[in-house]
Amino acid sequence: MAGSSLFLLIDDIATILDDVATMTKIATKKTAGVLADDLALNAHQVSGVKPNRELPVVWAVARGSAINKLILVPAALVISVYAPWAITPLLMTGGAYLCYEGVEKFFHGWSTPRETKVARHNELLATIKNNNVNIVAVEKEKIKGAIRTDFILSAEIIIIALGTVAAAAFGKQLLVLSIVAIGMTIGVYGLVAGIVKLDDAGLYLTQKSGADWWTTIQHRSGAFLLHAAPLLMRFLSVAGSIAMFLVGGGILVHGIPAVQLAIGGVALLSGGVPYIGMMLDVALPVIFEGLFGVLAGVICLLAVVTIQAAIKKFSAAKAP
């Protein structure tokens, strides 16, 4: 009897852990877009400090990120228990924000003159090289900015993850959100640390002394890393933006039954196309969700610009 109960308990635990693993996998996939943007943003934000201070800054931001998630995970669980009806609106709001942020980032990059970007970059380099500048103060500002950015992106990650386990028991929700929060923090900032030190690793390899074949390989590998580091940053930024439209658009589409039904119908019809039907059946929903995300982002950006213009006009009219 006792042995049967023990086996039953083990089986129950195994089932729960399997469910948690499955839900965590789904939640992680759904948050991948935000994760890519989180990675690119944080790598960019902490890259403007002195080389010997990069890892301490990354560690400081990682601690701030962990504190953010210690706040956000309990808040999400409270919402799940006491206001489960708010999960879908929050998901839709998060999806719309992702789309808006993607469009706003593109618009800002497109509308900012190249001369302004170069001037800002040169100003940052001058600040780092200037021994009279309080580098600690500069670092603190960068850390604060990165933690604020992390809080917004972490909130999106937690809400998206919560939406995937909204119907699960409280214990499973707690496990999934905790695993996602811990995994995202360790994964993001571990990768950020690697990315910001990639150029240092390349420089180290290029400075190896010797004339044998192994030194030649190290020199070439170092040159490759030095060339690849900025390209990797650019790729992460672009991939993050695309993923934001795909994830944000997917959330909005799944929250609007009519749009989801229309896209599903088109995908179903395309499945009958000879030779490429199966590929279209998989690809078209993703493409349409991304395009819907772009459209939603443009609408949100226009709304924000209109509201800002109205507030500015009202303030100007009210001023003496």
Side-chain angles (χ1 to χ4, degrees):
M1 184 72 177
S4 300
S5 299
L6 176 61
F7 284 124
L8 183 61
L9 176 61
I10 293 173
D11 182 65
D12 288 342
I13 293 173
T15 302
I16 292 171
L17 291 177
D18 184 61
D19 290 345
V20 169
T22 302
M23 288 187 290
T24 302
K25 185 178 180 181
I26 295 171
T28 303
K29 282 184 178 180
K30 286 182 176 289
T31 59
V34 193
L35 176 63
D37 193 59
D38 195 7
L39 177 63
L41 280 173
N42 282 291
H44 176 73
Q45 285 186 312
V46 301
S47 62
V49 298
K50 288 189 174 182
N52 65 331
R53 295 295 302 158
E54 285 174 339
L55 291 183
V57 169
V58 172
W59 172 241
V61 178
R63 287 201 309 268
S65 175
I67 294 171
N68 286 342
K69 291 177 178 66
L70 283 174
I71 296 170
L72 290 167
V73 169
L77 292 172
V78 168
I79 291 173
S80 177
V81 172
Y82 295 103
W85 52 267
I87 294 177
T88 298
L90 285 172
L91 274 173
M92 296 290 284
T93 302
Y97 179 79
L98 281 176
C99 298
Y100 162 77
E101 192 177 12
V103 171
E104 197 276 336
K105 185 195 296 185
F106 173 79
F107 178 77
H108 179 75
W110 174 75
S111 61
T112 303
R114 178 176 175 79
E115 295 77 14
T116 304
K117 296 178 183 177
V118 173
R120 288 175 183 170
H121 180 71
N122 292 335
E123 183 182 354
L124 177 60
L125 290 178
T127 300
I128 295 171
K129 294 177 181 178
N130 189 352
N131 292 326
N132 296 322
V133 174
N134 187 348
I135 296 299
V136 174
V138 174
E139 284 185 4
K140 285 184 177 179
E141 285 303 310
K142 279 190 163 290
I143 290 168
K144 286 180 181 178
I147 291 174
R148 283 194 298 268
T149 301
D150 177 272
F151 186 87
I152 295 171
L153 294 173
S154 293
E156 294 170 0
I157 289 170
I158 296 301
I159 288 298
I160 293 171
L162 179 63
T164 65
V165 295
F170 179 83
K172 291 181 181 179
Q173 290 181 351
L174 175 61
L175 281 173
V176 170
L177 293 186
S178 298
I179 292 171
V180 169
I182 294 170
M184 294 296 184
T185 303
I186 295 174
V188 165
Y189 290 99
L191 285 173
V192 167
I195 290 170
V196 298
K197 300 305 289 185
L198 198 61
D199 52 352
D200 290 343
L203 183 62
Y204 172 77
L205 290 174
T206 58
Q207 293 175 341
K208 285 284 188 177
S209 58
D212 58 346
W213 64 272
W214 176 240
T215 305
T216 302
I217 290 176
Q218 288 179 306
H219 286 174
R220 290 180 179 178
S221 299
F224 172 77
L225 289 177
L226 286 172
H227 180 70
L231 295 178
L232 177 61
M233 291 287 291
R234 198 174 304 164
F235 168 77
L236 285 172
S237 181
V238 173
S241 298
I242 294 173
M244 288 169 74
F245 290 126
L246 294 176
V247 174
I251 291 172
L252 294 175
V253 165
H254 289 293
I256 306 175
V259 176
Q260 184 180 11
L261 187 64
I263 291 177
V266 172
L268 187 63
L269 290 174
S270 67
V273 177
Y275 305 111
I276 60 171
M278 186 177 296
M279 184 176 66
L280 289 175
D281 189 28
V282 175
L284 282 181
V286 177
I287 294 172
F288 282 132
E289 287 174 0
L291 292 175
F292 190 82
V294 173
L295 176 62
V298 170
I299 293 172
C300 289
L301 180 62
L302 290 175
V304 169
V305 170
T306 302
I307 292 171
Q308 288 176 339
I311 292 173
K312 187 176 181 180
K313 185 176 180 181
F314 177 77
S315 300
K318 193 176 180 181

